[in-house]
Amino acid sequence: MVERLQSLIREVKTKLDEANMYQAQCLLQKAAKDYPCAETFNNLGVFYAFEGRYDRKENRYNAFFRAERLLKRALRKSFLPSAELALGYLYFTRKRYKNAVCCYQRAYCKNRDFPTAYNVALSYYKMRKYHQAAIWATKALEKGTEAEQLEATILKLFSSQDLKAPECQRDIERVMNIDDMFLLEDKFVLTYLRGDMKAAQGQIALLLDKCCLEASVMAMVFDCLLSQNLVCDANSALERRIKELHDYDYNVNSEIHRLQKAFSRESYRKRLIASYRYDHPAIFQYYYLE
């Protein structure tokens, strides 16, 4: 049986590499039917969780409930970290963060690695349990590579309740010294949230040029400029963003209205700023068991 499963998984991986999703799905379904065990249920559940369900014409459908049912069935037969990780991802994508935390923490008992600790931290952050998020971000820091440690540092900073603390100041400076265009928005938000308006102002021109900003970050841009009486600059930022929105192919009137309110009404601007959340996806972790 073991040799047959190993051969089947190799065949599945070949089909996946060829983007032949329906055939890969059929192989996994046949394995779960012919060899009903924790490993085959895990493999089909993982496929449904991360790839979805396919018909003969390769049309893709959501398969959340099928994946959840199979992964739970696998876990009833044996404790498999891969099944816990896939379940955690499923719950995370459905914003069921409490369930995601439980799954990721159980997986961490066996897989004490960076992605698992990071996903626990991120799930706690989404639940607004910032103290626990910071603790788990620190655990992730201890496990990651240099690039991964940067991701964990940023998450830890956003989980902090006092960005002016000496430890946070050191971490912020470290982030600021990294030349990476993908960090422009994070750098600006961290600078703004720690109250350094002059430094934040200096980042706005490049930020507007390179990034497509959501309303809560635009509210920070307005607040930063208006707090320094740079009304013309704030108005230019608003007009520029409205022009960008008009280039989109969907109805942008509601978003434009939000931006105009954020520009003109301080109370609304503050509410938008308070609604900001660090938006980073969970790290994919999935394994087909042989």
Side-chain angles (χ1 to χ4, degrees), residues 64-123:
F64 172 86
F65 294 108
R66 293 185 185 216
E68 182 185 34
R69 185 168 61 250
L70 281 161
L71 293 167
K72 285 184 173 180
R73 195 173 175 186
L75 288 166
R76 283 196 294 270
K77 289 182 173 291
S78 178
F79 174 70
L80 298 173
S82 60
E84 292 285 12
L85 293 170
L87 262 181
Y89 172 78
L90 275 180
Y91 290 137
F92 188 95
T93 57
R94 286 297 180 100
K95 299 184 179 181
R96 292 167 58 178
Y97 301 121
K98 185 176 180 180
N99 297 96
V101 163
C102 292
C103 294
Y104 284 135
Q105 285 182 329
R106 285 194 293 267
Y108 189 76
C109 293
K110 286 277 188 177
N111 285 6
R112 294 182 177 273
D113 56 8
F114 170 82
T116 309
Y118 183 87
N119 285 342
V120 175
L122 190 60
S123 299

Side-chain angles (χ1 to χ4, degrees), residues 8-288:
L8 185 141
I9 291 301
R10 286 195 293 271
E11 194 173 351
V12 167
K13 290 178 178 177
T14 298
K15 296 297 183 185
L16 291 174
D17 289 340
E18 295 171 353
N20 193 335
M21 311 306 286
Y22 179 72
Q23 288 299 319
Q25 175 183 278
C26 289
L27 288 169
L28 291 169
Q29 288 170 335
K30 186 176 187 306
K33 181 179 178 180
D34 295 344
Y35 307 101
C37 62
E39 288 77 11
T40 56
F41 294 149
N42 170 86
N43 292 344
L44 184 54
V46 165
F47 181 89
Y48 282 148
F50 290 92
E51 307 294 349
R53 180 177 65 84
Y54 288 81
D55 62 17
R56 292 179 182 274
K57 295 182 179 180
E58 294 287 335
N59 296 313
R60 184 183 186 278
Y61 302 91
N62 183 280
F64 172 86
F65 294 108
R66 293 185 185 216
E68 182 185 34
R69 185 168 61 250
L70 281 161
L71 293 167
K72 285 184 173 180
R73 195 173 175 186
L75 288 166
R76 283 196 294 270
K77 289 182 173 291
S78 178
F79 174 70
L80 298 173
S82 60
E84 292 285 12
L85 293 170
L87 262 181
Y89 172 78
L90 275 180
Y91 290 137
F92 188 95
T93 57
R94 286 297 180 100
K95 299 184 179 181
R96 292 167 58 178
Y97 301 121
K98 185 176 180 180
N99 297 96
V101 163
C102 292
C103 294
Y104 284 135
Q105 285 182 329
R106 285 194 293 267
Y108 189 76
C109 293
K110 286 277 188 177
N111 285 6
R112 294 182 177 273
D113 56 8
F114 170 82
T116 309
Y118 183 87
N119 285 342
V120 175
L122 190 60
S123 299
Y124 271 128
Y125 177 83
K126 296 289 188 179
M127 294 164 66
R128 303 189 183 188
K129 293 189 175 182
Y130 301 123
H131 178 67
Q132 292 95 323
I135 290 172
W136 279 90
T138 301
K139 290 185 180 184
L141 270 167
E142 297 167 356
K143 306 291 183 182
T145 63
E146 186 175 349
E148 290 171 337
Q149 287 175 348
L150 176 63
E151 290 290 337
T153 298
I154 293 172
L155 177 55
K156 184 180 177 183
L157 285 169
F158 279 113
S159 302
S160 172
Q161 299 301 291
D162 183 12
L163 287 176
K164 294 183 180 179
E167 180 184 355
C168 290
Q169 293 288 346
R170 289 192 296 271
D171 286 339
I172 289 174
E173 290 306 318
R174 179 191 165 205
V175 173
M176 296 300 163
N177 288 330
I178 295 174
D179 185 16
D180 187 335
M181 298 299 288
F182 290 106
L183 295 179
L184 285 177
E185 184 175 321
D186 294 339
K187 288 180 178 181
F188 168 76
V189 173
L190 287 169
T191 305
Y192 171 85
L193 291 177
R194 73 170 174 176
D196 191 346
M197 297 302 172
K198 198 67 179 175
Q201 177 200 339
Q203 299 173 27
I204 288 174
L206 185 60
L207 182 72
L208 293 174
D209 188 48
K210 299 296 183 181
C211 300
C212 179
L213 303 178
E214 63 173 25
S216 60
V217 181
M218 283 302 300
M220 294 181 198
V221 170
F222 299 151
D223 196 61
C224 175
L225 295 172
L226 293 173
S227 68
Q228 300 175 79
N229 296 317
L230 300 172
V231 180
C232 290
D233 290 347
N235 188 61
S236 296
L238 172 64
E239 291 178 352
R240 176 173 181 166
R241 183 66 184 129
I242 289 174
K243 184 177 183 299
E244 290 172 352
L245 287 171
H246 279 306
D247 292 336
Y248 296 166
D249 58 357
Y250 63 87
N251 191 330
V252 296
N253 291 335
S254 61
E255 181 71 4
I256 291 173
H257 181 61
R258 292 175 76 202
L259 292 175
Q260 290 170 334
K261 280 176 65 178
F263 174 79
S264 60
R265 291 170 51 183
E266 183 179 4
S267 59
Y268 183 75
R269 185 162 65 244
K270 294 298 185 184
R271 286 204 303 275
L272 268 184
I273 292 169
S275 73
Y276 173 82
R277 294 292 177 271
Y278 176 60
D279 190 19
H280 195 281
I283 298 174
F284 277 18
Q285 297 169 274
Y286 60 95
Y287 311 97
Y288 294 106

